Amino acid sequence: MYSVASSGGELVDAPYISLLCDCFMRVVRGEIENLIINVPPRHLKSFIFSVCGPAWLLGISPSTKIMAVSHDQRLAEDLHAKFRKLVESDRYRAIFPGFGISAAANTKDNLETLEGGGRRAVSVESSPTGLGADMILLDDPLNPEDACNPDMCRRHMEQLTRSILSRKNRPGAPVILIQQRLSLSDTTKAFEGVQGWTKIALPLVATEDEEFALTTGQVFRRFQGELLSPNRVRPQDVERLRQELGPNFEAQHQQNPVAARGTLISDGDLPVINSHPGGLDYTVSIDTAPNGVAGTSRTAMLVIGRDRRNNYVVHATAKKLEFPEILELAKRLSEHYGAHRVLVEDEGLGHSVIELLRSQGLAVLPCKPRGQSKVQRFQAVIGRFKASEVIVLDRQPWTADFREELLQFPYGGADDQVDALTQYLSWVEQTTPSGHPPVVVGVSSGLTAHVRRMSPFTREAGLERQVPRGFRGGRGR
C-alpha cells in the first residue's frame, strides 16, 4: 500500500515498522489510552499513523470519526491527499470491498464514509468548532519555528487544548501524538509523564539496548549503537547529519533535545556561595500555574534574602502543587525563614492565593506583570546579574536545576523559577532609591507597610535548615 500512497515509491522495510503498527492497533483496541510516538524524520511515522492507520481503521470500522491535526493546514491537506489516494485505490477496495465514500463529502480536507465516519484534516489554529472526533491524530502539531520559544509553546498548548482536544466525542477518545522531538518545550514535553499517556521513543542510533514485546508474540530488539533503519540511513549519513544539524541532531534524530544556552546571562553572572551573611531580609516569591488551575502546571516558590547590596537565593521549589499545597508551603517557608513579605503574581490562580494567604496573617504583596513579555521583564533587571548581585546557595538539591533554568532562558523547557526571580527583582527595583527594600511585617487593607527588625531564623518540623550561618565567598564551583 505504500507504493499507492507515495505514487510508486518503494517501501524500505525495517523491524521497527511492525512495532509502530502494533502500537496503533493497541490504541484502537483500547489497550493504550493515549500514545506519543517520537521517531526521526523520514522514517514513515506519518505514513503509518496519519495515512495507513486511519485507512485500516475506517476499513474495519467505517463509522469512526478521525480528526488529523497538523501545525499547518497545507501539511494537514498533504497527508489527507495521500490518505484519499490510498482508500480510493483498487487494492484498498479489494481488501475492504464494503467500504463506501460519500460523494457529497470527499474534499481536500474531509472524507466521509457512507456510515457517517471519516477523516477530517485541520490545523491547530483552525478552531474546528462543531466537529467531533472518536480519535485525534496530532501529526507535527507544533511549528518548528516556535519550538525554542517557551511563550509560543505555551500558547500552542493552550490553543491545542481549547480548540482540538475539546473535540472528543467521549472523554476517553484516544489521542496519538506523532512528532520528532524539537525542544524541551515541545508538545511531547507537555504530555509525557502525564497519567494515561504512553511514549515510544526510537532514536536513530540506539543509546542503549532496548526491547519491545508486540501483541503478536514477536519482540523488537535493538542493541546500543544499532541504527533504526540501516537500509534507509547509513553510518556515514549519521556523521553527516551530526555535523549539519549540530545540537538539533540530538533532538530531531535522537529524540533527546538538549537545551540551548540562553543569550541573556552567562555562568559568571550567576555566582554560587556555600553560605551567606546573617541578618538578611527574607522574601518569598511565588509564580503560580499559568493556566489558573493548580496541579496542572508547575508552581515556583523562591526564598531570597537581601542585604544592602546582594540578593541570596536560599530556597527554590518548582513542581506541580495542588492549591492547598501552595498555601501550606508558602506559610511554612515564611515561618521557617522569618520572611517579611510574600510576592504573588496577581493573575489567574494568584488572586485566590493572595486572598487566602492574607487571611492566614501573611504580608502579601500582589505583583502585576504590566503587559511586558517574560524576556522584557528579565531584561529590565539584568543589571543585577551583570553586577553579580544575585547569588545562589550552592550544594542544595535544587541548585543545579535552578541555575540551568536561568542560564537557558529563554530557550529552555521551563521558566517558572525565572518568573519568580524576575518578579522579586522587579519589586526591588521599585522600592526605595537606595535599592534596599523596607521590611514589611503587616499589611492592612490599604497595603500600609510597617517596619521592624527581622525576626530570628525559625525551624519547623519537616523542613531542614538549609542555610548555615556565616559567610564564605565564592563565585562558582
Side-chain angles (χ1 to χ4, degrees), residues 36 46 61 85 87 90-91 129 133 146 155 202 204 207 245 268 278 365 372 414 418 430 440-441 457:
I36 299 171
S46 291
S61 179
K85 184 180 293 187
V87 299
D90 293 337
R91 291 181 63 183
T129 55
D146 298 334
R155 294 193 192 102
L202 300 177
L204 178 63
T207 57
L245 297 175
L365 300 180
Q372 295 178 311
V418 173
Q430 297 166 22
V440 179
V441 299
F457 191 92

Side-chain angles (χ1 to χ4, degrees), residues 175-429:
V175 178
I176 302 178
L177 170 62
I178 309 108
Q179 181 182 54
Q180 67 194 39
R181 292 305 304 270
L182 297 171
S183 73
L184 290 170
S185 304
D186 62 14
T187 320
T188 293
K189 183 64 177 180
F191 289 135
E192 67 178 346
V194 176
Q195 185 176 1
W197 284 85
T198 299
K199 186 175 85 166
I200 301 294
L202 300 177
L204 178 63
V205 183
T207 57
E208 60 184 2
D209 296 349
E210 53 189 9
E211 181 176 296
F212 298 90
L214 280 61
T215 54
T216 59
Q218 298 174 297
V219 176
F220 170 67
R221 293 188 180 89
R222 197 159 62 126
F223 299 103
Q224 183 177 5
E226 188 175 345
L227 291 171
L228 186 60
S229 181
N231 293 326
R232 179 179 293 273
V233 178
R234 303 163 300 173
Q236 56 266 39
D237 297 326
V238 174
E239 293 309 311
R240 176 179 55 81
L241 288 169
R242 286 187 192 274
Q243 294 176 6
E244 291 178 355
L245 297 175
N248 289 331
F249 175 84
E250 286 297 316
Q252 297 178 15
H253 290 272
Q254 290 299 93
Q255 314 313 311
N256 179 36
V258 177
R261 283 300 176 101
T263 56
L264 298 178
I265 62 172
S266 63
D267 190 78
D269 297 327
L270 197 61
V272 296
I273 202 166
N274 293 332
S275 62
H276 63 74
L280 297 179
D281 172 31
Y282 289 101
T283 300
V284 176
S285 183
I286 304 174
D287 178 72
T288 58
N291 57 7
V293 181
T296 59
S297 300
R298 293 201 324 174
T299 289
M301 203 171 301
L302 307 182
V303 180
I304 305 110
R306 178 165 172 79
D307 59 19
R308 288 284 172 180
R309 181 180 187 275
N310 294 322
N311 306 276
Y312 302 88
V313 181
V314 300
H315 175 89
T317 293
K319 62 182 179 180
K320 294 179 180 179
L321 295 171
E322 298 297 335
F323 190 75
E325 294 176 313
I326 296 174
L327 301 179
E328 179 187 358
L329 181 59
K331 185 177 181 180
R332 190 149 48 100
L333 289 173
S334 296
E335 293 177 354
H336 180 69
Y337 287 94
H340 296 90
R341 68 199 63 81
V342 179
L343 308 181
V344 182
E345 183 177 3
D346 195 9
E347 296 284 346
L349 187 64
H351 298 316
S352 299
V353 172
I354 291 168
E355 181 180 345
L356 289 175
L357 287 180
R358 280 179 173 171
S359 71
Q360 296 179 15
L362 297 183
V364 183
L365 300 180
C367 298
K368 289 284 190 181
R370 296 186 174 183
Q372 295 178 311
S373 70
K374 294 173 182 286
V375 172
Q376 288 173 326
R377 296 198 296 270
F378 191 89
Q379 288 174 327
V381 298
I382 201 168
R384 300 278 175 177
F385 294 95
K386 297 303 180 181
S388 298
E389 293 179 11
V390 180
I391 302 170
V392 181
L393 187 63
D394 200 8
R395 300 175 184 174
Q396 305 302 308
W398 48 266
T399 302
D401 288 341
F402 176 79
R403 294 186 81 251
E404 276 303 300
E405 182 175 318
L406 264 73
L407 294 172
Q408 291 167 8
F409 182 75
Y411 302 122
D415 53 23
D416 320 87
Q417 297 175 105
V418 173
D419 288 345
L421 182 57
T422 301
Q423 176 174 267
Y424 164 80
L425 293 174
S426 298
W427 174 77
V428 170
E429 294 280 346

Side-chain angles (χ1 to χ4, degrees), residues 459-470:
R459 180 189 301 272
E460 179 164 321
L463 183 64
E464 293 183 3
R465 177 173 175 175
Q466 298 179 335
V467 186
R469 295 192 182 276

